[in-house]
Amino acid sequence: MTVDKGNKLARTTLEASVNDKLATDPKLDSGSQKRIGDQLRAMYDELMQQPVPDRFRDLLEQLDKKNGAKEGSQ
Amino acid sequence: MTPEPDPELREALLAAVPSLRAFAISLSGQVDRADDLVQDTLLRALANLHRFEPGTNLNAWLFTILRNLFHSEYRKRRREVEDPDGSYAGRLKVQPDQGSHLDFEDFRSALAKLPSDQREALLLVGASGFSYEEAAHICGCAVGTIKSRVNRARFRLASLLNVEDIEDLGPDSMTRAALQG
């Protein structure tokens, strides 16, 4: 990749969302790609480790109960 | 059809909550909003259980629902907020001269700056563990589109976070972009 071409690609990227043109996609070197990936997973893992808020457990249990009631068991 | 959440299914839905939350928080940038999204997703899933094909990937199905809810809500909000990206400007302090120091705060800010189609593609493939094919299915687009979005998301993050030496990628324009907010 030449310097000129690189600049052009960078500008294209900064114009952001636009449309999906494969041909204009820049490429990251593998080291940077790995660092971005590691950061992303580390951030995500932290979120995954958070305890499940009670509201979700309660929600699903409520639905279970409702179902049980319909069957006349309560 | 009446939802019939048997204990096994309930466990499966509960087991999916952490990854749904992680996705929703990363996508929306707000925990409260993310939890509402997850709750709406579970309710919608339960109301549409008859549409789920047993044996297929439950998580992918749930992610599809969450993603669609997120986008329909986003479209609604967009009409209310003229410049959604502008809301980040005040908070965002990505200073390239802070060197290579990276923490989650910087990372989250950078992630929030991505166009949402790129952000979701990166989250699905790079963090949630879906294949490009699954991510394409979830987003309702072509596999090549997902690859392209993931690639551009990484590239943009790298420039926002100043991860690499980007001398052949126009550092001046990158710096401006990072500071512009």
Side-chain angles (χ1 to χ4, degrees), chain A residues 1-3 5-7 9-11 13-14 16-22 25-29 31-33 35-37 39-44 46-48 50-53 55-57 59-61 63-64 67 70, chain B residues 2-5 10 13-14 17-19 21-23 25-26 35-36 38-39 42-43 46 102 104 107-108 111 115 122-123 126-128 144-145 148-149 151-152 154-158 163-164 168-170 173-174 177:
Chain A
M1 186 185 284
T2 68
V3 170
K5 201 179 174 198
N7 275 326
L9 292 177
R11 276 196 300 275
T13 309
L14 291 171
S17 42
V18 284
N19 32 18
D20 304 304
K21 290 183 212 152
L22 282 168
D25 282 355
K27 264 283 178 194
L28 269 191
D29 63 277
S32 303
Q33 199 164 311
R35 264 175 289 175
I36 291 289
Q39 276 285 311
L40 178 64
R41 278 186 296 275
M43 181 208 76
Y44 214 71
E46 192 194 57
L47 294 174
M48 297 274 291
Q50 291 183 5
V52 171
R55 64 192 274 194
F56 299 120
R57 206 175 295 274
L59 172 75
L60 293 168
E61 268 167 19
L63 289 162
D64 259 11
N67 235 48
K70 263 181 213 147
Chain B
T2 314
E4 289 169 18
R10 192 186 67 187
L13 289 173
L14 211 47
V17 169
S19 52
R21 282 189 85 229
F23 181 57
I25 292 170
S26 309
D35 280 342
D36 288 345
V38 172
Q39 173 143 351
L42 293 175
L43 289 172
L46 288 165
L102 292 176
F104 293 148
F107 193 86
R108 289 204 183 98
L111 196 62
L122 182 69
L123 290 168
S128 305
T145 303
S148 167
R149 287 175 184 171
N151 193 30
R152 279 183 292 147
R154 284 184 180 133
F155 184 85
R156 185 97 198 272
L157 280 181
V163 159
E164 44 158 2
D168 69 342
L169 296 168
S173 61
M174 289 298 170

Side-chain angles (χ1 to χ4, degrees), chain B residues 4-71:
Chain B
E4 289 169 18
D6 57 86
E8 205 177 304
L9 179 69
R10 192 186 67 187
E11 285 311 307
L13 289 173
L14 211 47
V17 169
S19 52
L20 286 170
R21 282 189 85 229
F23 181 57
I25 292 170
S26 309
L27 203 58
S28 70
Q30 296 161 266
V31 175
D32 288 351
R33 193 178 160 201
D35 280 342
D36 288 345
L37 265 174
V38 172
Q39 173 143 351
D40 290 348
T41 300
L42 293 175
L43 289 172
R44 188 166 288 201
L46 288 165
N48 290 281
L49 271 185
H50 56 288
R51 292 198 194 167
F52 175 68
E53 297 166 35
T56 62
N57 190 331
L58 178 69
N59 264 25
W61 187 62
L62 294 171
F63 271 66
T64 307
I65 295 172
L66 191 148
R67 188 238 170 221
N68 289 340
L69 285 170
F70 175 75
H71 283 282

Side-chain angles (χ1 to χ4, degrees), chain B residues 162-178:
Chain B
N162 212 26
V163 159
E164 44 158 2
D165 36 31
I166 47 176
E167 75 271 7
D168 69 342
L169 296 168
D172 285 344
S173 61
M174 289 298 170
T175 305
R176 273 200 301 278

